[in-house]
Amino acid sequence: MPGVAGFRLHTPLNRADIFDELIVFQGASYFRALGKDTLYGLSARGLAVNTGLPEGEEFPRFSEVWLRRPEPGDSSATIYAALDSPSVTGAYRFVITPGDDTTVEVTMRLFLRKDIKQLGIAPLTSMFLHNGADKGSFDDFRPSVHDSEVLVLNAGKDATLCRPLNNPPRLASSYFGAQSPRSFGLAQRNRDFEHYLDAQAHYERRPSLMIEPLGDWGKGTVRLVEIPSDLEGNDNIVAYWIPEGETRAGDELAYDYRMHWGMNPPGATPQTLGRVVRLRSGHGGVAGVEADTQTRKFVIDFAGGQLSDMPSDAELEPIASAQNGEIVEAILSRVDGRDEWRLVLELRAEPDAIVEIKAVLSGYDRNLTETWVYQWINA
């Protein structure tokens, strides 16, 4: 229909007497949804094509949309959409179920018209400006400004990666290989107003979004793209799944997945493992004595899981590594008076080096925490 930019659905999400916005489709193949008590934040897309590549990105759009008329008593709404672009055409079905965590079950069938260098399945788009880990040059009264703070990848039965987001000095990408992942997504874990101090935007109420593959997605990679930004109005974070193998003209692809939008949807925070609760960074050296500008210090606090019951003399050890850099020092200790363990890493790297850092706390023949991963650009 000419003149129609998009549409939205309403439902009594938070109160029985008020029809709140539940989901909105607007612009290309973009859409975003809400769980109970959340405010609009990150978005999803139907498909990503050549994002952040020199060839230039292509933005498929939903050219036609159909809403199936709900029957009395239905708890879900079903939407069908046709996707179109120069390189691909597709058919989508969305089954939307509101709740504390609103779910959107997606069925997609793709037909490739051209070779595609990089196809992004279940793409997510968000905003990260700054937080306590590195405020950069922002002269801002708010300690943190972001719609999402970490990328989470649940790769195996007891393997969870937590990648805090960055606002990098230049375009940056990180790649995380996985075989049949349980879920991945962008999470807003900190729900404390004091973490943000924004009485208008209320970033503490932005939803997390986790993608749960349905069926076996096989081998592939989760790509994280981080784009430099000086404004919180810019969506500068993108994450999506890249299937292994080439995507050629004439290929027919099928993917099914379930999206979970909410304050703490399944998979956003590990249930049995300790989690990263805080990240700070600064110059190296001994605090209060002498700064070492040749090194960078990263302070990672872990809590939860079995860590809560561990005494200060527990036999825990950090397993840490740095690609393209050197770990000068690694110190692990329990934080007095708190059920937290603090890992302090001090690193050295060549100027302009892109350093990939990884750390996990281990003990008693198993990993006790999710794996913290981070990209440090020594600009």
Side-chain angles (χ1 to χ4, degrees), residues 119-165:
L119 192 66
I121 306 299
L124 315 179
T125 302
S126 193
M127 179 276 292
F128 181 92
L129 197 66
H130 67 78
N131 70 2
D134 189 353
K135 286 182 68 71
S137 60
F138 293 102
D139 187 15
D140 196 326
F141 78 92
R142 300 167 297 177
S144 298
V145 178
H146 49 73
D147 284 335
S148 306
E149 59 184 321
V150 296
L151 168 75
V152 179
L153 169 60
N154 295 298
K157 182 180 179 182
D158 293 311
T160 296
L161 272 67
C162 172
R163 166 56 155 85
L165 301 179

Side-chain angles (χ1 to χ4, degrees), residues 317-372:
E317 65 170 334
I319 300 175
S321 63
Q323 183 179 348
N324 244 13
E326 175 191 1
I327 298 177
V328 178
E329 190 174 51
I331 299 175
L332 176 66
S333 61
R334 197 174 193 275
V335 180
D336 288 342
R338 302 178 67 89
D339 292 333
E340 297 177 1
W341 286 77
R342 172 163 292 182
L343 175 60
V344 180
L345 298 177
E346 196 154 330
L347 282 87
R348 181 185 295 116
E350 295 295 325
D352 292 324
I354 300 175
V355 184
E356 298 289 349
I357 320 169
K358 180 185 295 187
V360 63
L361 302 190
S362 179
Y364 308 99
D365 299 321
R366 61 187 181 277
N367 288 341
L368 298 173
T369 67
E370 62 186 358
T371 300
W372 170 79

Side-chain angles (χ1 to χ4, degrees), residues 44 50 80 112 117 126 130 144 146-147 150 176 188 202 234 295 313 349 351:
N50 294 336
Y80 298 91
L112 274 54
K117 187 169 184 179
S126 193
H130 67 78
S144 298
H146 49 73
D147 284 335
V150 296
F176 307 98
Q188 187 82 315
H202 284 290
N234 296 331
T295 62
D313 60 351

Side-chain angles (χ1 to χ4, degrees), residues 7-13 18-24 40 77 98:
F7 68 94
R8 58 190 179 184
L9 300 183
H10 291 242
T11 193
L13 183 63
I18 295 178
F19 276 71
D20 302 295
E21 281 195 38
L22 173 66
I23 190 169
V24 59
Y40 278 135

Side-chain angles (χ1 to χ4, degrees), residues 40-119:
Y40 278 135
L42 79 168
S43 301
R45 282 190 279 167
L47 194 67
V49 177
N50 294 336
T51 300
L53 298 185
E55 295 85 344
E57 184 169 1
E58 183 175 298
F59 289 89
R61 68 186 183 97
F62 289 134
S63 56
E64 295 183 78
V65 177
W66 300 266
L67 172 64
R68 192 180 74 184
R69 186 184 298 276
E71 299 292 335
D74 281 356
S75 59
S76 301
T78 301
I79 293 170
Y80 298 91
L83 180 126
D84 189 55
S85 80
S87 297
V88 62
T89 187
Y92 285 69
R93 182 182 66 187
F94 303 91
V95 180
I96 305 155
T97 306
D100 289 349
D101 296 325
T102 290
T103 63
V104 180
E105 194 161 313
V106 182
T107 302
M108 59 184 289
R109 301 293 181 263
L110 301 176
F111 306 89
L112 274 54
R113 293 172 167 146
K114 299 180 180 179
D115 296 350
I116 296 177
K117 187 169 184 179
Q118 189 173 99
L119 192 66

Side-chain angles (χ1 to χ4, degrees), residues 134 136-137 166-172 228 281-283 292-296 298 324 347-357 374-379:
D134 189 353
S137 60
N166 271 322
N167 185 353
R170 56 181 182 268
L171 181 68
S281 69
H283 62 72
D292 181 355
T293 58
Q294 301 303 308
T295 62
R296 188 77 180 168
F298 296 89
N324 244 13
L347 282 87
R348 181 185 295 116
E350 295 295 325
D352 292 324
I354 300 175
V355 184
E356 298 289 349
I357 320 169
Y374 197 68
Q375 185 182 84
W376 169 41
I377 300 178
N378 188 22

